């Protein structure tokens, strides 16, 4: 049954994040716009290098410095634009209002501090007046919330003493410790085996539904999209090429890139000699083609596709695709 969503909590408008390097200007995020409602799970999919993680880091203003910076656009969190905010102001927003679960828990946790120390550090930003026993109790409660076994003992463990799945739960506990309105999960199941992955996804879903927070889920896996998300953005070479509900994207993919991604998912019902793959490679972000960025790999591309970047076309209710061939391929 569909969940009732709240008001729009995040609006991203024409966001451009560029990296200035010796190769030239890398247009990592090049005109991204979307919105997110309270209680919604938004999936962002695409190949490596499509701009998914850089978009997420831009929302928190954590882009690599000094090379990367937001050069244009707006990020409105509950109506408040984050782009002009200083680093000191952003420290009051990160964790408390918008938080992130990073891709690799091995590098997200500091190996020289205990799990409890790292969790307490996050909790202190929200409960600075609490004494040490209260903070420890809150840390234990946070581990219980993400279903860590024996949390009283785990708070004294160092990261190397716990498994990869347990590390990812600890990172999740840190992310939700300050009760943010939005959590960005950047491929949080990449380093987990299939069984632990399923448990972790179920846990994230339970936390999201219990707290009604908004969740942005970045992934390569369409199985995860189908299971977790309400709406999907498909990114390619720094831009959103298609957006719509999960049902629309799976049942009526309209952009050739989305169609190719879905064809790349192996089917258990088909007996094929060779799995489908998308020909070619994504373009270099410092040397992008003039027209549609997928045109060099698209079997339907013509001269217009190579010359002009397509405008978004409305395919259905809240379903758009940026392609000159929508409805004709």
């Amino acid at each position: 049954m569909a969940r009732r969503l709240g008001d729009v909590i995040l609006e991203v408008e024409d966001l451009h994040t560029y990296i200035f390097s010796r190769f030239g200007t890398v247009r990592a995020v090049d005109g991204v716009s979307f919105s997110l409602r309270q209680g919604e799970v938004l999936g962002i999919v695409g190949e490596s290098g499509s701009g998914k993680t850089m978009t997420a880091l831009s929302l928190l203003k954590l882009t690599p410095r000094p090379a990367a910076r937001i050069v244009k656009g707006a990020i409105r969190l509950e109506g408040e634009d984050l782009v002009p905010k200083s680093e000191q102001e952003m420290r009051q927003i990160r964790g408390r209002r918008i938080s992130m679960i990073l891709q690799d828990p091995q590098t997200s946790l500091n190996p020289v501090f205990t799990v409890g120390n790292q969790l307490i550090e996050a909790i202190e930003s929200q409960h600075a007046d609490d004494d040490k026993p209260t903070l420890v109790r809150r840390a234990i409660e946070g581990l219980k919330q993400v279903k860590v076994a024996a949390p009283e003992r785990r708070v004294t463990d160092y990261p190397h003493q716990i498994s990869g799945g347990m590390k990812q739960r600890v990172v999740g506990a840190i992310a939700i410790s300050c009760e943010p309105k939005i959590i960005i999960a950047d491929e949080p199941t990449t380093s987990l085996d299939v069984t632990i992955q399923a448990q972790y996804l179920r846990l994230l879903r339970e936390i999201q539904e219990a707290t009604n927070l908004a969740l942005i889920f970045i992934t390569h896996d369409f199985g995860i999209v189908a299971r977790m998300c309400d709406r999907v953005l498909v990114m390619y070479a720094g831009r959103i090429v298609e957006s719509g509900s999960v049902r629309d994207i799976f049942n009526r993919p309209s952009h050739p890139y989305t169609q190719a991604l879905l064809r790349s998912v192996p089917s258990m019902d088909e007996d094929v000699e060779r799995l489908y793959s998308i020909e070619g490679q994504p373009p270099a972000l410092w040397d992008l083609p003039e027209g549609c960025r997928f045109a060099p790999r698209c079997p339907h591309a013509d001269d217009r596709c190579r010359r002009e970047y397509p405008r978004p076309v409305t395919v259905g209710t809240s379903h758009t695709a940026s392609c000159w061939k929508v409805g004709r391929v």
Side-chain angles (χ1 to χ4, degrees):
M1 187 175 68
R3 291 175 293 110
R4 295 184 62 182
L5 305 179
D7 296 332
V8 172
I9 189 173
L10 178 70
E11 290 180 285
V12 178
E13 182 181 342
D14 197 27
L15 180 65
H16 293 70
T17 301
Y18 292 173
I19 302 171
F20 300 91
S21 73
R22 59 194 175 96
F23 299 106
T25 301
V26 177
R27 291 184 276 173
V29 181
D30 196 27
V32 166
S33 299
F34 64 90
S35 62
L36 179 70
R37 304 177 77 89
Q38 186 72 45
E40 183 179 28
V41 182
L42 176 67
I44 304 180
V45 299
E47 293 171 283
S48 295
S50 60
K52 306 183 301 297
T53 296
M54 192 60 71
T55 299
L57 293 174
S58 298
L59 300 183
L60 288 160
K61 295 190 70 177
L62 287 175
T63 52
R65 298 175 187 173
R69 65 175 181 267
I70 298 171
V71 298
K72 184 181 176 183
I75 303 167
R76 299 188 186 92
L77 177 61
E78 298 179 298
E80 185 179 3
D81 192 1
L82 304 185
V83 173
K85 293 201 173 293
S86 67
E87 176 61 23
Q88 186 174 0
E89 289 173 319
M90 284 304 300
R91 286 176 183 171
Q92 302 302 311
I93 292 169
R94 297 186 197 115
R96 298 183 181 188
R97 296 172 63 187
I98 180 168
S99 191
M100 188 168 182
I101 300 173
L102 296 172
Q103 194 171 132
D104 184 6
Q106 306 283 357
T107 56
S108 300
L109 295 173
N110 192 320
V112 300
F113 291 103
T114 66
V115 165
N117 285 338
Q118 296 180 68
L119 192 48
I120 287 170
E121 183 180 15
I123 294 170
E124 271 187 310
S125 65
Q126 186 77 358
H127 302 280
D129 296 332
D130 287 356
D131 56 21
K132 186 65 179 291
T134 303
L135 289 171
V136 172
R137 189 177 71 251
R138 288 186 186 276
I140 292 171
E141 288 299 320
L143 293 179
K144 284 181 180 178
Q145 191 173 359
V146 295
K147 298 183 179 178
V148 169
E152 296 84 358
R153 182 164 57 86
R154 292 302 180 192
V155 291
T156 62
D157 283 349
Y158 288 87
H160 72 272
Q161 294 176 292
I162 59 180
S163 67
M166 199 71 74
K167 286 188 184 77
Q168 195 61 280
R169 288 172 187 253
V170 171
V171 171
I174 292 172
I176 66 175
S177 62
C178 295
E179 302 174 4
K181 299 289 185 68
I182 300 171
I183 286 184
I184 303 168
D186 185 7
E187 300 187 46
T189 60
T190 299
S191 59
L192 306 181
D193 63 54
V194 175
T195 305
I196 301 301
Q197 181 183 104
Q199 294 175 1
Y200 191 73
L201 289 175
R202 186 165 57 248
L203 174 64
L204 272 182
R205 192 60 153 165
E206 289 172 359
I207 292 171
Q208 189 267 334
E209 291 176 348
T211 59
N212 199 39
L213 56 80
L215 181 62
I216 298 175
F217 208 101
I218 297 171
T219 182
H220 292 93
D221 191 334
F222 271 98
I224 292 175
V225 169
R227 179 174 179 175
M228 293 288 295
C229 301
D230 302 306
R231 197 158 51 90
V232 187
L233 308 178
V234 181
M235 288 194 72
Y236 185 78
R239 289 191 173 182
I240 295 170
V241 297
E242 186 166 2
S243 66
S245 68
V246 170
R247 187 183 298 274
D248 285 337
I249 295 298
F250 276 85
N251 293 342
R252 292 191 301 160
S254 298
H255 194 284
Y257 179 59
T258 309
Q259 295 166 0
L261 285 177
L262 288 169
R263 284 187 65 191
S264 300
V265 179
S267 173
M268 299 298 290
D269 300 324
E270 296 180 10
D271 185 14
V272 294
E273 291 185 5
R274 187 178 182 86
L275 296 175
Y276 175 81
S277 63
I278 306 173
E279 295 294 331
Q281 296 292 329
L285 295 178
W286 59 86
D287 186 24
L288 292 167
E290 185 177 347
C292 175
R293 294 170 185 184
F294 188 60
R297 307 172 72 187
C298 180
H300 310 290
D302 58 19
D303 289 341
R304 187 184 189 186
C305 298
R306 298 182 185 94
R307 189 176 62 251
E308 301 175 54
Y309 193 86
R311 296 183 298 272
V313 176
T314 300
V315 183
T317 305
S318 301
H319 183 192
T320 63
S322 298
C323 180
W324 295 119
K325 304 287 187 177
V326 168
R328 289 182 283 167
V329 297

